[in-house]
Amino acid sequence: MPEILSFLEEARIPSAIVTSSDRTAVEGHLSATGLQDRFQTIVAYGDYGMGKPHPAPYLLAAERLNLSISECVALEDSRNGVLSASGAGAMTIMVPDLVQPAPDLLGRCACVLADLHAVRDLIAISSGHE
C-alpha cells in the first residue's frame, strides 16, 4: 500500500479511507504501519447514518475531499463496499481479498484487478502520470 499512496501523493491525487470499522481501530492500524498521515480523510463507522452497502459513506468521503463523487475512484474488496461505492456514483474498482466477485457485481465495477500494483498502473495510464 505505501507504493500506491506515494504515487497518489506525487500525482497530487487526494485519498480517503471509507470503512465500516471503528475509527479508533483504523487509526491504530494506520499508526502501527506508519500510514497515519497518508490520507486526507477517514470516513469510519459512526461518521454516517447508514453504512455500506448504502452510498452514504462514499458520498461523505467525496464531500470531505471537496470532490464530486463522479470524480472519485473507489477501491473495494467486498460486496457491500462495491454496492456502496457504485451506488454513490464513484468509479469502482474491485481488488478482491479472498472471494472473487459474483457475476452480478461485475456490472457495478469498472474493472476487477488482482492487486494495488495493477491499480497504480491503471491510474497512472488514465491520468497521464506514468
Side-chain angles (χ1 to χ4, degrees):
M1 183 186 309
E3 296 87 7
I4 194 168
L5 291 173
S6 294
F7 166 78
L8 293 174
E9 289 165 357
E10 289 169 16
R12 295 188 176 159
I13 298 172
S15 60
I17 292 180
V18 179
T19 182
S20 299
S21 297
D22 177 76
R23 175 175 301 281
T24 304
V26 173
E27 289 175 349
H29 290 301
L30 291 173
S31 183
T33 56
L35 300 174
Q36 65 272 19
D37 298 322
R38 305 289 300 267
F39 298 90
Q40 282 65 53
T41 191
I42 298 171
V43 175
Y45 177 79
D47 290 340
Y48 42 78
M50 307 240 344
K52 296 176 183 178
H54 195 275
Y58 274 97
L59 293 171
L60 179 57
E63 180 182 319
R64 287 184 178 176
L65 292 172
N66 295 313
L67 295 171
S68 163
I69 193 67
S70 63
E71 297 176 282
C72 297
V73 175
L75 307 180
E76 271 296 346
D77 65 353
S78 72
R79 176 177 186 78
N80 280 348
V82 167
L83 293 174
S84 177
S86 65
M91 174 196 255
T92 306
I93 298 173
M94 187 171 194
V95 183
D97 185 18
L98 300 173
V99 180
Q100 292 299 310
D104 66 312
L105 272 191
L106 294 176
R108 294 182 163 268
C109 300
C111 59
V112 177
L113 297 175
D115 56 38
L116 293 177
H117 297 289
V119 171
R120 181 197 61 221
D121 294 345
L122 178 65
I123 294 172
I125 292 167
S126 299
S127 65
H129 289 97
E130 297 176 78

